[in-house]
Amino acid sequence: MSRPGYYSRRACDGKRRRGAAAKKIAARRWKPRYNAGARARAHWRPRGRKLRDGTNRGAAMQELPIDRYFLDRAKAKRGGRLNAYASLTPSRTALVVVDMQDYFVKDGMPSTIAEGQGIVANINRLAAATRAAGGLVVWIQTEAPADADDWANRREATSAERWESRRELLARDGEGFGIFPACAVESEDQLATKIRYSAFIPYPSQLDTLLRDRGMDTLLIAGVATSTCCESTARDASMWGYRTIMVSDANADQTEALHRHTLGKFLTTFGDVQTTGQLTEKLAMGAELAVPAQ
């Protein structure tokens, strides 16, 4: 028995009908709508109904793995458009690949992200597109501090056994420090290390210096984990003035829920979220526009 007031009386009566009318109602689904107070109200919409801007509501959900609450919030903030950044200037764009190291991706490691290996193909595809368009590819590697007392607050919150294991595996000569072999690192790519979750700490960081020296103003963030090092790096990049885009299908996390929520919050508050396909198209288009007319 449904809770009083959860469904409208008309809908409840409709569910009891038989024949063609019942089939028509059954073909529709219930979807939550979020108002300004973020309070969900149940109502139904036919599948595939288009929004005022002509886009398909269902298509947006399939394109980005983000709850509709965040999609609607982002559109409300941007006057109806979903994405913050409509175009890319390849020569000023850098793909920043975070922590695609054996420690986080290789099977059997203590901090392996289950879906980490599943995003390698998209990372390689986007890296190739970035290089071809004239952009920069940077691979970030986490290095455990050599000083056992460094980052003392984090050490205190971690078991002694796990802390020592992390220090050994993420040392420069450790088994987990290297970039996962399936990642296509090319000779023109740049490498940068970090000692905290964000690649922008301490500031000025190795990454920030590298990017500013090359005139980069737009960052595409990929890697693992979406809700930890990728998000920390992306948020700091946004705070330091970079146009920052998290790549939805080139990031991975321990759970789908963490992945979805992180992308949704970033989309509405800090920057943009786009797919590998969207970004490769924008890079190619930007490269074409940069070619002088004959």
Side-chain angles (χ1 to χ4, degrees):
M1 182 176 180
S2 61
R3 291 180 294 172
Y6 188 72
Y7 299 107
S8 68
R9 178 177 298 175
R10 180 180 179 183
C12 290
D13 291 341
K15 282 179 172 289
R16 299 189 185 97
R17 294 179 186 143
R18 297 293 183 268
K23 291 181 180 179
K24 184 180 295 185
I25 291 173
R28 296 167 176 167
R29 63 179 177 180
W30 292 80
K31 295 184 177 181
R33 171 183 287 171
Y34 293 87
N35 58 21
R39 180 176 179 271
R41 296 181 302 179
H43 74 296
W44 56 261
R45 287 182 182 273
R47 292 179 183 271
R49 180 169 179 173
K50 290 189 176 181
L51 303 174
R52 291 180 181 178
D53 61 2
T55 59
N56 187 292
R57 180 180 289 270
M61 282 293 291
Q62 294 171 7
E63 190 75 10
L64 293 176
I66 296 175
D67 293 339
R68 190 189 308 143
Y69 167 76
F70 292 116
L71 296 175
D72 290 346
R73 291 273 293 180
K75 286 186 176 183
K77 286 185 175 183
R78 294 167 184 154
R81 61 191 176 94
L82 177 63
N83 294 116
Y85 309 120
S87 62
L88 300 176
T89 302
S91 62
R92 298 176 65 83
T93 299
L95 170 63
V96 178
V97 185
V98 180
D99 288 353
M100 289 298 289
Q101 299 165 258
D102 287 339
Y103 184 79
F104 302 104
V105 182
K106 185 179 178 180
D107 293 335
M109 284 288 179
S111 292
T112 296
I113 306 298
E115 298 300 322
Q117 295 183 28
I119 61 173
V120 171
N122 280 341
I123 289 175
N124 288 343
R125 175 186 168 198
L126 187 53
T130 302
R131 296 186 201 100
L136 177 69
V137 178
V138 184
W139 301 85
I140 304 296
Q141 292 170 276
T142 292
E143 180 182 5
D147 183 356
D149 293 325
D150 191 16
W151 208 5
N153 63 321
R154 187 61 192 156
R155 184 189 63 178
E156 184 179 356
T158 308
S159 70
E161 180 181 2
R162 188 173 182 86
W163 186 254
E164 285 306 311
S165 172
R166 183 181 186 277
R167 287 188 62 234
E168 291 177 7
L169 291 171
L170 285 177
R172 279 190 177 268
D173 58 353
E175 185 181 348
F177 182 76
I179 294 175
F180 188 65
C183 294
V185 182
E186 300 293 341
S187 58
E188 66 262 41
D189 297 348
Q190 298 293 315
L191 302 176
T193 58
K194 65 182 179 70
I195 58 173
R196 296 291 189 267
Y197 292 154
S198 170
F200 285 91
I201 294 177
Y203 192 85
S205 66
Q206 184 179 356
L207 173 63
D208 187 66
T209 300
L210 185 156
L211 294 170
R212 295 194 188 278
D213 286 349
R214 290 164 175 76
M216 299 294 119
D217 68 5
T218 302
L219 305 187
L220 315 178
I221 306 295
V224 293
T226 314
S227 64
T228 312
C229 295
C230 295
E231 181 187 27
S232 296
T233 298
R235 286 192 179 198
D236 283 350
S238 177
M239 295 299 99
W240 285 110
Y242 292 97
R243 302 165 76 239
T244 310
I245 304 171
M246 294 192 75
V247 190
S248 62
D249 53 359
N251 279 269
D253 212 321
Q254 284 92 346
T255 70
E256 181 66 15
L258 281 171
H259 180 71
R260 291 169 64 97
H261 186 84
T262 300
L263 294 179
K265 184 60 178 175
F266 190 84
L267 176 69
T268 59
T269 307
F270 298 98
D272 204 352
V273 177
Q274 299 187 32
T275 66
T276 298
Q278 288 176 300
L279 293 169
T280 54
E281 289 180 7
K282 287 181 171 67
L283 285 165
M285 185 177 299
E288 290 179 4
L289 293 174
V291 176
Q294 298 295 326

